């Protein structure tokens, strides 16, 4: 474990994240959807693990995040929580489980917290989901907001391009961020907006702003684990830094396995009983 992590708290809470912003320490966040990867990520010193509804894309192979269900999110989240000792685990409320109905939002959030043991939930949207956020918070459940490119609204946007380049959308985003902070969100994810807007939002709020394609001036960064490890190949936005090419590594290993079997080389004398 790197030296800088040695004095870190044994368990990351929403209060720890608030303190990190106060002291100018950047927050690291990655997605995870299963026990084995979550265990590696947690042991590597990550601060926050997001069980994102991007599971719909990278785990289930859907084109959008819309099809994934609450029970499927719960399955992924419970698997992650079983592996994690230190990071704060945040779970996405999937599409259709909170929009336009704050009572349903509360029920969805309670089901996630009860059945997974996670530490917080995340919802997409600003002013229009305020009532749902308030109701969830009233049950003592920490809420992370999500603004900018909100993939559950892809059919409204029509495209995954950078959001809030125009003044009107940028102003609405700043207002939404203030509403989420006032309502009581402990943090906000800001996706795919200009870096200077990210800077303005982060410096105007007391709560941490965690960016994905929102530039370097925000309080932390999040990436989808399959993208940063290079398991996915077709998705290559400018903001994505790939730390590995696992697609090629896994493919090479599987090709060697197939060829060893075909040649009668596996198993060897030593590998049998
Ligand atoms: O679902 C997800 O993975 C997310 C991240 C992109 C922030 O919401």
């Amino acid at each position: 474990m790197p030296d800088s992590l040695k004095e870190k708290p044994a368990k990351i809470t929403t209060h720890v994240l608030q303190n990190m912003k106060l002291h100018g320490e950047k927050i690291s966040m990655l997605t995870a959807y299963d026990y084995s990867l979550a265990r590696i990520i947690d042991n590597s010193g990550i601060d926050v693990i997001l069980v994102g509804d991007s599971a719909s894309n990278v785990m289930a192979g859907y084109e959008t995040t819309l099809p994934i269900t609450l029970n499927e999110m719960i399955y992924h989240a419970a698997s992650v929580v079983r592996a994690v000792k230190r990071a704060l685990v945040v779970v996405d409320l999937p599409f259709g489980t909170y929009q336009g109905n704050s009572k349903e939002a509360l029920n969805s959030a309670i089901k996630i917290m009860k059945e997974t043991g996670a530490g917080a939930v995340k919802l997409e949207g600003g002013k229009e989901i305020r009532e749902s956020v308030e109701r969830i918070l009233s049950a003592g459940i920490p809420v992370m907001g999500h603004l900018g490119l909100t993939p559950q609204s892809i059919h409204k946007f029509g495209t995954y391009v950078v959001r809030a380049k125009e003044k009107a959308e940028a102003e609405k985003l700043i207002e939404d961020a203030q509403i989420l902070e006032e309502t009581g969100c402990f943090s906000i994810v800001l996706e795919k907006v200009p870096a200077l807007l990210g800077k303005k939002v982060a410096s105007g709020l007391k709560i941490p702003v965690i960016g994905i394609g929102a530039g370097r001036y925000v309080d932390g960064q999040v990436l989808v684990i399959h993208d940063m490890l290079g398991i996915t190949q077709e998705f290559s936005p400018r903001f994505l830094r790939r730390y590995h090419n696992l697609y090629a590594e896994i493919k090479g290993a599987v090709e060697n396995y197939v060829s060893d079997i075909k040649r009668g080389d596996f198993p060897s004398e030593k590998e049998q009983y």
Side-chain angles (χ1 to χ4, degrees), residues 21 190 193-205 209 214-218:
K21 167 141 185 169
L190 192 53
V193 298
L196 288 181
L197 178 59
K199 183 179 187 180
K200 202 164 177 185
V201 174
S203 63
L205 297 184
V209 174
R216 57 191 312 183
Y217 310 111
V218 289

Side-chain angles (χ1 to χ4, degrees), residues 29-33 50-58 65 73 92 122 124 144-146 149-152 189-191 210-212 222-225 227 235 239:
M29 173 161 148
L30 271 175
T31 66
Y33 319 96
L50 172 67
V51 184
D53 59 358
S54 49
S56 181
N57 310 111
V58 296
T65 57
M73 286 302 295
D92 265 337
K122 176 164 83 60
E124 295 183 5
M144 177 179 264
H146 185 154
L149 176 64
T150 46
Q152 290 179 13
V189 163
L190 192 53
E191 181 163 354
I210 301 176
I212 171 162
V222 54
L223 286 176
V224 169
I225 185 78
D227 298 334
F235 182 66
F239 69 75

Side-chain angles (χ1 to χ4, degrees), residues 90-91 93 109 112-113 119-123 136 141-144 186:
V90 181
V91 184
L93 282 194
I112 285 183
M113 299 300 280
V121 295
K122 176 164 83 60
L123 279 70
I136 295 171
I141 301 171
V143 177
M144 177 179 264
F186 72 89

Side-chain angles (χ1 to χ4, degrees), residues 24-200:
E25 184 185 347
K26 298 275 190 186
I27 295 165
S28 60
M29 173 161 148
L30 271 175
T31 66
Y33 319 96
D34 69 278
Y35 176 88
S36 302
L37 268 186
R39 192 156 166 262
I40 300 173
I41 297 168
D42 190 49
N43 284 334
S44 312
I46 203 83
D47 298 313
V48 185
I49 294 182
L50 172 67
V51 184
D53 59 358
S54 49
S56 181
N57 310 111
V58 296
M59 299 300 290
Y62 290 115
E63 262 190 35
T64 72
T65 57
L66 275 64
I68 198 160
T69 65
L70 186 57
N71 282 335
E72 285 165 344
M73 286 302 295
I74 286 172
Y75 168 78
H76 288 297
S79 309
V80 166
V81 169
R82 281 193 285 275
V84 172
K85 292 193 167 61
R86 179 178 173 275
L88 174 70
V89 178
V90 181
V91 184
D92 265 337
L93 282 194
F95 177 67
T97 66
Y98 63 95
Q99 293 97 337
N101 185 340
S102 62
K103 191 147 190 293
E104 193 181 349
L106 176 62
N107 289 340
S108 307
I110 288 178
K111 191 168 158 68
I112 285 183
M113 299 300 280
K114 255 186 189 296
E115 296 181 22
T116 71
V121 295
K122 176 164 83 60
L123 279 70
E124 295 183 5
K127 199 174 178 177
E128 60 285 357
I129 58 151
R130 180 178 204 157
E131 207 181 301
S132 292
V133 173
E134 270 167 357
R135 207 148 182 172
I136 295 171
L137 287 167
S138 75
I141 301 171
V143 177
M144 177 179 264
H146 185 154
L147 295 171
L149 176 64
T150 46
Q152 290 179 13
S153 304
I154 185 58
H155 294 300
K156 182 177 87 181
F157 297 142
T159 156
Y160 287 101
V161 296
V162 181
R163 302 306 314 174
K165 281 165 100 175
E166 306 302 328
K167 194 163 170 244
E169 193 178 336
E171 280 171 1
K172 158 124 173 59
L173 192 151
I174 291 168
E175 193 194 323
D176 279 341
Q178 270 154 2
I179 289 172
L180 291 177
E181 175 168 280
E182 279 163 28
T183 309
C185 285
F186 72 89
S187 173
I188 292 174
V189 163
L190 192 53
E191 181 163 354
K192 220 167 175 188
V193 298
L196 288 181
L197 178 59
K199 183 179 187 180
K200 202 164 177 185

